[in-house]
Amino acid sequence: MRTGARIGTSLGTRFAASFAAVAVVVTLLVGFLSYDAAARLIRRDQHSAFNEVVEDLREQVRRHRLNVSIATDLDGDGVRDDLLRPTRFDAQVLGPRGGVTERGRRRLPVGDEERATAAKERPGVVTRRDVDLAHGDYWLVTVSLGDGLGAIQVAREFSDTEDLLHSLQRRTLLLATLVVLAAALAGWWLARRITRRLVRLAHAAEDVAQTGRVDRQVPVAGSDEVGRLGRSFDRMLGRLAQAEDDQRRLVQDAGHELRTPLTSLRTNIAVLRRIDELEPSVRAELVVDLADESRELTDLVNELVAIAAGRHGDEPPVDLVLADVAEEAAAVARRRTGREIAVRARDDTPVRARPAAVKGAITNLLENAAKFDRDGTAPIDLEVSADRVEVRDRGPGIAATDLARVFDRFYRAPAARSLPGSGLGLSIVRDVARSHGGTVFAGARPGGGAVVGFTLGEP
């Protein structure tokens, strides 16, 4: 089984279990509260109905001063007969000494409390207790007739009410079980819908990890968090694929560019074996050539290392005045090239940027201008505003067909191929500008020469 499938199944199971757990808690809580409320209501209604019967009996006893014969009244309309009509009620008449003079449907128990109540002089005295008969549980109430004439016992079965409540309880538990099962199924179905896209993303990540290929298409759907994750993952793979392609091109281009100075060095080294046979002037020319080739090779390697390592990426941005950085870069370029550089600052508003990266980009622009204007005597102009750097030279300029490619890595215009350099300087300037949210530009200078520069945005 694949790891992604296990993750998806596990997540789906957790969703289903979570839904079931929530359903269990909610259903049990609602079921318990509903059952408790229904049970209280039913019991209260039964007690209320029974108490109304008892109170009505007490009222008749007090008002009419019933005796045993009136209570039993053989013509069928006595008090006991009225009490026997409700199917869940039973009644029994006790004599003066507590003996049973007329029993109901079943014999009701007579204890000391009931006998004492039957002997009461005051009518309407009540004793209560719960009794357990063969046919069920009853509430038993004994009401005295007064003057020691006896009492009437009234019983109401409540076990059938408890049976009803037990049945309601079983139905509630059954309903709760069905709700929990339905919630689990709904959670499982919903989890599959939610995690299906996550599983596809997991499969894509596994394929990338196993094959190392980052040029695959990631399935993206939806506008929720999972959809956003898919799009972010797709963009990340796109960036990785682009970085891998850039790295491959860098290696290929670097290999191509390194062949020229290395070939020249090998040739010169081969000539060195016959140095004793060479004229002094040829020897001096050979040494100069070796120095130039080694310097060019060193510069090329340094620029390749700077690009490959991305050394400016970790430099923290700070608030700086671009004119101050331009002055520092101009000082470095003057020392390296021996050319005069005129710096014109039009604005000293601070900008947030990486000082070393910006300084290196300006230095590259100045050295590039000096290289193409080798025989020039006029100063190289460096104009700086708050977020814009512009270098103007009096060299041969840039052909219109080359303007679109002068910032590409290793690109060298046909007119510049005889000049020293690697073709990486302007590409580094472009990388610095892009890392600061800016752009690069190049064009012709009125009166001859070139204008090359960049702008800065937010790093």
Side-chain angles (χ1 to χ4, degrees):
M1 179 180 287
R2 304 181 69 171
T3 305
R6 289 198 299 270
I7 293 176
T9 302
S10 175
L11 189 57
T13 302
R14 290 176 184 176
F15 266 110
S18 299
F19 270 75
V22 172
V24 167
V25 174
V26 173
T27 304
L28 290 180
L29 182 61
V30 173
F32 172 78
L33 294 177
S34 300
Y35 171 78
D36 184 67
R40 288 174 180 273
L41 182 62
I42 292 173
R43 289 191 180 105
R44 186 168 61 247
D45 288 345
Q46 297 294 339
H47 274 286
S48 177
F50 184 64
N51 289 334
E52 287 179 2
V53 171
V54 172
E55 289 301 320
D56 183 61
L57 176 60
R58 292 182 66 190
E59 187 66 24
Q60 291 188 54
V61 168
R62 289 171 180 168
R63 185 177 299 171
H64 301 293
R65 287 288 184 172
L66 301 178
N67 54 35
V68 174
S69 61
I70 296 176
T72 57
D73 194 2
L74 297 178
D75 63 3
D77 60 354
V79 173
R80 190 185 67 84
D81 299 307
D82 292 337
L83 295 173
L84 286 173
R85 287 191 181 99
T87 56
R88 296 181 181 178
F89 284 82
D90 208 340
Q92 181 172 275
V93 179
L94 303 180
R97 296 182 179 180
V100 178
T101 61
E102 189 69 29
R103 57 177 295 184
R105 298 185 183 93
R106 56 186 61 81
R107 187 178 184 87
L108 302 178
V110 179
D112 294 338
E113 292 183 359
E114 286 77 20
R115 294 188 185 92
T117 301
K120 294 290 183 180
E121 294 294 328
R122 184 165 59 88
V125 177
V126 176
T127 58
R128 301 171 182 266
R129 66 171 171 142
D130 297 337
V131 295
D132 183 11
L133 302 181
H135 299 283
D137 298 326
Y138 285 78
W139 294 315
L140 178 62
V141 174
T142 303
V143 181
S144 66
L145 296 176
D147 298 328
L149 298 177
I152 297 179
Q153 289 182 299
V154 181
R156 167 68 166 86
E157 185 180 2
F158 67 87
S159 58
D160 57 344
T161 301
E162 296 302 321
D163 292 339
L164 174 64
L165 293 177
H166 289 324
S167 175
L168 177 62
Q169 188 179 50
R170 288 193 297 272
R171 290 173 181 269
T172 302
L173 290 175
L174 177 60
L175 179 62
T177 303
L178 294 177
V179 169
V180 169
L181 292 177
L185 290 175
W188 176 79
W189 174 80
L190 184 59
R192 287 198 62 186
R193 284 183 59 87
I194 294 175
T195 59
R196 184 166 51 204
R197 293 175 292 163
L198 291 175
V199 170
R200 288 201 296 265
L201 288 176
H203 288 167
E206 289 173 3
D207 290 340
V208 171
Q210 292 173 2
T211 64
R213 294 184 55 189
V214 294
D215 57 346
R216 63 161 294 162
Q217 190 71 23
V218 177
V220 178
S223 58
D224 55 4
E225 287 80 359
V226 178
R228 289 166 53 194
L229 175 63
R231 283 187 290 274
S232 298
F233 188 64
D234 189 52
R235 287 194 296 269
M236 180 190 70
L237 288 183
R239 294 287 296 274
L240 288 175
Q242 182 64 41
E244 188 179 71
D245 185 62
D246 291 343
Q247 184 182 31
R248 187 182 300 110
R249 281 193 297 108
L250 176 63
V251 172
Q252 293 172 351
D253 293 343
H256 175 74
E257 293 296 324
L258 285 170
R259 288 191 188 99
T260 300
L262 287 175
T263 301
S264 180
L265 283 174
R266 281 200 304 270
T267 302
N268 290 328
I269 290 172
V271 174
L272 281 175
R273 295 175 180 174
R274 299 184 295 110
I275 193 170
D276 294 337
E277 304 173 5
L278 301 177
E279 296 292 334
S281 59
V282 177
R283 293 179 187 177
E285 184 180 349
L286 179 61
V287 171
V288 171
D289 192 26
L290 283 172
D292 290 341
E293 292 293 345
S294 62
R295 183 168 54 252
E296 184 176 346
L297 183 59
T298 301
D299 293 340
L300 176 58
V301 171
N302 290 336
E303 289 175 337
L304 287 173
V305 171
I307 292 175
R311 63 185 179 188
H312 300 311
D314 297 332
E315 183 185 11
V318 298
D319 292 330
L320 55 86
V321 177
L322 202 53
D324 297 339
V325 180
E327 288 287 357
E328 296 176 6
V332 173
R334 291 187 190 105
R335 185 173 64 251
R336 291 180 179 177
T337 65
R339 292 292 300 274
E340 183 180 352
I341 299 172
V343 181
R344 297 183 180 88
R346 295 182 293 180
D347 195 342
D348 59 355
T349 303
V351 64
R352 194 156 188 83
R354 300 179 179 91
V358 175
K359 179 181 176 181
I362 298 175
T363 303
N364 276 335
L365 289 179
L366 294 172
E367 292 181 353
N368 188 73
K371 179 177 66 175
F372 282 94
D373 189 15
R374 300 178 70 177
D375 300 326
T377 57
I380 298 173
D381 295 327
L382 173 58
E383 295 188 5
V384 181
S385 62
D387 57 357
R388 180 184 175 94
V389 175
E390 187 175 290
V391 174
R392 298 169 173 263
D393 63 56
R394 291 293 183 180
I398 303 174
T401 55
D402 296 327
L403 287 175
R405 299 190 59 191
V406 292
F407 292 99
D408 292 345
R409 286 179 184 173
F410 300 108
Y411 179 76
R412 302 181 72 186
R417 290 173 185 171
S418 61
L419 298 175
S422 62
L424 289 174
L426 292 184
S427 69
I428 294 176
V429 174
R430 181 194 59 186
D431 292 343
V432 171
R434 286 181 176 176
S435 69
H436 286 79
T439 59
V440 290
F441 56 88
R445 178 177 182 174
V451 178
V452 186
F454 62 91
T455 62
L456 297 178
E458 288 293 330

